[in-house]
Amino acid sequence: MGSIDKKYEFVITKFLARYNYDAVLDILEELGINNGDLHILVSYCKSSVNFDFRTAVKKLDMLTPKIKNRKDIKLLKNNSIDLLDGEPAAIFSEFIENIKIKLINEEYIDFLGRIYRLKEALFKYVFVQSQSNKTKVSMIGYMVSKKNILNILKKKYNIYTSNLTYGITRYINKNMRKTKKIAKVLEILNSEKLENLIRLRNECPVGHGFKGVSKEDIEHIYGKPFEVVDDFITACEKLDVDIKFDKYDDINNIIIELLSKYIRDKGDVYYE
């Protein structure tokens, strides 16, 4: 059973602040902490931030009953299952959280890749929700595939295009009641500054080119990078999708709690 001294505690908390769970796992294993609730929960985070939700659920199932039965862990398990099921609020919250993490770590190319996917996902959500008689929509499966949506646009609405967001925008303008909320969503998602970020994405390695991206590039186009996050949250709220923005901060607090027990008790020892 390993233990953690104050020096390593400081380093681990610094890595947690940047959501660098790979580095935290490396330190724990170097200290001989290769199992137990602390190691499992950090491993869960490593899987989850990489969108490997199936492995993440398995990790939570490995926790000891004392931790697994906590209310916050049960909520985390429910969230992971929602992600596997493609529940929109869970999916969009995870994307926005991931975008935040990319910004904090100054991984601007990956940041651009995430906002491109989130913009497309929000357009898919609007379209599929308008087409579905069901109260619940999943962001996983054939219904939200680009091929299916473009096919419906062509056959049912005579909208011929290979550009998904353009096609759905035309569909909204022609066939949906333009509420103030929908108008605001389109204003955000089709804004010139977001389009310019997408063009920048297309020029970099996650798109079709090799151009590097700096914070200054993003600020020149959009303003402070976190304004992008704020705008996506606003778009989700206008679509009546409830966004949770602090999932990994909450998990980090649990990890720090478990960490303190290793420093004090050198292991998984819990107190009432």
Side-chain angles (χ1 to χ4, degrees), residues 50-167:
N50 287 298
F51 297 94
D52 182 4
F53 306 122
R54 195 170 304 280
T55 299
V57 169
K58 292 178 181 177
K59 294 291 184 181
L60 292 180
D61 287 336
M62 294 167 61
L63 291 167
T64 60
K66 186 75 173 180
I67 297 297
K68 189 189 301 184
N69 292 327
R70 286 172 48 151
K71 182 179 178 181
D72 48 11
I73 298 298
K74 287 182 177 180
L75 290 173
L76 197 58
K77 174 76 175 287
N78 291 337
N79 171 257
S80 297
I81 293 171
D82 285 342
L83 287 164
L84 278 174
D85 291 340
E87 199 278 321
I91 291 289
F92 298 150
S93 294
E94 194 72 23
F95 255 103
I96 289 172
E97 187 99 1
N98 206 271
I99 288 169
K100 178 188 79 172
I101 291 171
K102 296 302 178 185
L103 283 177
I104 288 171
N105 287 303
E106 300 180 357
E107 296 170 353
Y108 298 119
I109 289 176
D110 288 338
F111 159 77
L112 292 174
R114 296 292 190 274
I115 66 169
Y116 174 82
R117 291 302 176 195
L118 181 55
K119 174 182 175 176
E120 186 177 72
L122 287 168
F123 270 106
K124 287 180 175 181
Y125 173 73
V126 171
F127 181 79
V128 172
Q129 189 182 52
S130 74
Q131 296 290 303
S132 177
N133 295 321
K134 300 177 182 178
T135 56
K136 295 183 71 175
V137 171
S138 173
M139 296 306 298
I140 295 172
Y142 181 71
M143 280 299 295
V144 293
S145 70
K146 181 176 181 179
K147 179 180 179 181
N148 177 60
I149 293 173
L150 292 178
N151 192 46
I152 294 172
L153 289 173
K154 179 175 67 176
K155 291 186 175 181
K156 193 172 181 180
Y157 300 103
N158 294 317
I159 297 174
Y160 295 83
T161 181
S162 60
N163 186 313
L164 185 74
T165 58
Y166 171 75

Side-chain angles (χ1 to χ4, degrees), residues 198-210:
I198 299 300
R199 292 188 186 98
L200 183 60
R201 172 259 176 197
N202 293 339
E203 295 173 356
C204 73
V206 295
H208 312 293
F210 301 97

Side-chain angles (χ1 to χ4, degrees), residues 16 38 67 70 72 250-264 269-271:
L16 287 176
L38 175 60
I67 297 297
R70 286 172 48 151
D72 48 11
D250 291 343
I251 303 172
N252 284 352
N253 288 334
I254 302 172
I255 291 172
I256 290 169
E257 176 189 336
L258 297 179
L259 194 67
S260 69
K261 296 180 186 300
Y262 267 88
I263 294 166
R264 188 177 64 192
V269 180
Y270 305 107
Y271 294 83

Side-chain angles (χ1 to χ4, degrees), residues 24-38:
V24 175
L25 281 175
D26 285 344
I27 293 172
L28 293 179
E29 290 166 7
E30 182 71 23
L31 295 173
I33 303 170
N34 299 297
N35 48 41
D37 290 326
L38 175 60

Side-chain angles (χ1 to χ4, degrees), residues 189-249:
L189 298 183
N190 286 333
S191 67
E192 182 178 355
K193 57 184 182 179
L194 187 55
E195 283 296 308
N196 286 336
L197 282 187
I198 299 300
R199 292 188 186 98
L200 183 60
R201 172 259 176 197
N202 293 339
E203 295 173 356
C204 73
V206 295
H208 312 293
F210 301 97
K211 183 176 181 178
V213 179
S214 68
K215 181 180 180 181
E216 289 72 25
D217 293 328
I218 294 167
E219 288 178 336
H220 178 72
I221 292 171
Y222 212 98
K224 293 182 179 179
F226 272 96
E227 290 180 16
V228 185
V229 177
D230 293 338
D231 284 344
F232 272 122
I233 292 173
T234 298
C236 289
E237 289 173 346
K238 296 299 181 184
L239 294 172
D240 298 318
V241 177
D242 186 28
I243 295 299
K244 179 172 171 33
F245 187 61
D246 52 3
K247 169 182 170 180
Y248 292 99
D249 293 316

